[in-house]
Structures are given as structure tokens and as C-alpha cells.
Amino acid sequence: ICSRGSVKESMLYLTDDSVRAVLRSVNPKSQTRRVVKLPHNNPLGQWEPMTIGGPRGGRTAAGETIPEQGGIWHTRTGDSLMCPYGQPGDRLWVREAWCHLNDVRTGDPGSDALQRRVFYRADYPGDTLMHDDDPAEKIKWRSSRFMPRWASRLTLEILSVRVERVQDVSYEDAIAEGAADYANYMADEPLNEVGETIEQTARRLQWPQRQYRLLWDELNASRGHPWQANPYVWRIEFRRVR
């Protein structure tokens, strides 16, 4: 975590699909869920979500109102955790897969390459920058772990934070998480019932939630946090800072 002026900033890693979802104009991604890393699981108590801050939630040493936000505490030990990514009003700068102009091996990098300096893999799913048929073009994408602050193109402002189970995701939440537009994955499903709109069918079949469940397992099952385990997550709502 760092501070730029009076605004605190933290890093947030996003996959290529998530970056594209943040950038799209229709139903852009405006939420992310991250596993709560609990320090222990004392069997004499349990972890429960809590809320702090707000008009009646106390003040900082400087006399400022603490923003209302979610946390989690242990009923036996009294240990509590707040979101490590920040609180409402803080910002997240996004790290994504990228490359520098120097990483591109081609005789014609494009007219705007010298001005851009940085390219982002999410913009080029075919792993080519300019010429699909240029065998001389070779790209060495750099991991998001090695993206410096100056190369980041996305800054997000945190609007709200709370703790919940991952399976609590609603229809609206799944859309806000960047789940694919339901109109695109209704093709293999039964036709709508008489008088039912595509959206009503999607809600009835829980299509966005099902899409998000698949995405969750793709990213988290191998890390020991499958959907079926229903872990606690930080539900972070944000808006893109332009």
C-alpha cells in the first residue's frame, strides 16, 4: 500500500478477461471478490462478518468519520480483520500482463508505437500487435507481477467493502463481476417460456451466477478455494477513475 497525496493506493492484479470487462462500455466490471485469508480457525469460536464506521461508527485520531465498511471477527479470540485492499475512498491501481516497445521484435511496430511505449496483452488476444500475418513479429509479454506503477492504465476507486460468502453472489453481482452478457450464452439453452424476455429467462436459470461460478473455480480451485467450499470473500465495489 502506498499513498499519493492524501489518497491511499493498493495494487490489484487482474486477468486479461477482467481487464476487458472493466474497459467495456456495456455492463462494465465494477466488483471483485478476493478470498479472506483467515489467520487461524480456533474451534472454540467462529469467524463472522461485521460492519464498522459510518456516522455512528467512531472517528479517526484526526477527527474524521471512518467510512462504513465490512470486516470479519472471531467470536472467541476477538481477532478482527479489515480489507487489506483498502476502504471506501481509497484507490486500486491495476497490474496486468503487458510489454514494452523494446519487447516487440518487428520491422514495423505501427505508427503510434513510439508514443504509446506500452502495450497490454488484454488488447491483443491473438498475441500479435500489428500484423496477424507477419512471421517476424515476436512478442515477449511481461507478467503482471512486474508492471511498474507508471505503466498501469487503470485506476479504480473503492466505493464499498463488505464480507460475505462467495455463493451469496446475486444476479446483479455476477453481472457486475464481469460475467458474460447472458444473450451470448443462451444459445445452447431451451427457448424462453411463452411471454418471457431473455433477461427473465437468464434470471430464472441463474445464468450469470453459473458463469461466475465457472470463472471462480478456474481462478481459485487450484489454490484451495473451490466454489463448493464457499469461502468468505472481500466483496469490493469500485468505479473506474478516468
Side-chain angles (χ1 to χ4, degrees):
I1 299 177
C2 66
S3 177
R4 300 173 73 89
S6 60
V7 178
K8 292 182 180 180
E9 286 193 343
S10 301
M11 297 179 299
L12 183 71
Y13 293 94
L14 288 183
T15 64
D16 292 351
D17 285 341
S18 291
V19 169
R20 286 191 284 267
V22 170
L23 291 172
R24 69 191 181 201
S25 57
V26 178
N27 290 330
K29 179 179 175 67
S30 59
Q31 289 183 17
T32 187
R33 282 163 173 72
R34 305 294 164 120
V35 174
V36 175
K37 298 180 180 179
L38 300 174
H40 64 78
N41 283 292
N42 190 316
L44 298 179
Q46 59 185 356
W47 289 96
E48 292 185 355
M50 66 177 183
T51 301
I52 70 165
R56 300 181 180 179
R59 296 180 179 274
T60 65
E64 298 177 349
T65 300
I66 300 174
E68 184 174 311
Q69 59 196 287
I72 191 169
W73 74 293
H74 194 270
T75 57
R76 173 68 176 183
T77 66
D79 294 335
S80 60
L81 298 176
M82 303 309 298
C83 182
Y85 297 96
Q87 62 183 16
D90 292 343
R91 293 186 174 186
L92 303 167
W93 65 273
V94 173
R95 278 182 156 176
E96 59 180 295
W98 66 297
C99 77
H100 193 275
L101 177 61
N102 294 337
D103 300 322
V104 182
R105 302 292 182 263
T106 179
D108 179 15
S111 59
D112 65 342
L114 293 178
Q115 287 73 38
R116 296 184 59 186
R117 296 176 59 201
V118 176
F119 299 92
Y120 305 96
R121 191 175 64 188
D123 295 338
Y124 304 95
D127 276 356
T128 182
L129 295 182
M130 314 300 171
H131 310 290
D132 292 337
D133 58 350
D134 183 357
E137 183 178 89
K138 302 295 181 183
I139 304 170
K140 180 182 178 182
W141 294 111
R142 301 188 186 189
S143 169
S144 58
R145 291 180 299 168
F146 305 120
M147 171 175 276
R149 179 67 180 92
W150 63 263
S152 176
R153 59 173 167 171
L154 290 176
T155 301
L156 313 173
E157 180 183 355
I158 298 176
L159 300 179
S160 68
V161 175
R162 72 173 185 239
V163 174
E164 62 184 26
R165 296 286 189 177
V166 69
Q167 292 183 16
D168 291 337
V169 64
S170 67
Y171 174 92
E172 289 77 13
D173 288 336
I175 294 294
E177 273 279 3
D181 186 357
Y182 51 77
N184 293 330
Y185 50 77
M186 290 289 291
D188 297 330
E189 286 296 310
L191 296 176
N192 300 354
E193 293 185 352
V194 176
E196 191 175 58
T197 66
I198 292 179
E199 181 176 353
Q200 289 170 335
T201 304
R203 285 181 180 273
R204 174 170 56 82
L205 298 176
Q206 295 187 318
W207 257 115
Q209 293 98 313
R210 290 163 64 180
Q211 187 77 3
Y212 180 66
R213 181 186 66 207
L214 295 175
L215 176 61
W216 177 270
D217 274 341
E218 180 181 334
L219 297 176
N220 296 284
S222 62
R223 301 174 183 175
H225 305 291
W227 177 269
Q228 201 168 20
N230 200 20
Y232 277 118
V233 294
W234 299 109
R235 175 195 178 276
I236 304 172
E237 183 182 8
F238 58 81
R239 70 175 182 88
R240 181 183 171 196
V241 179
R242 297 183 181 275

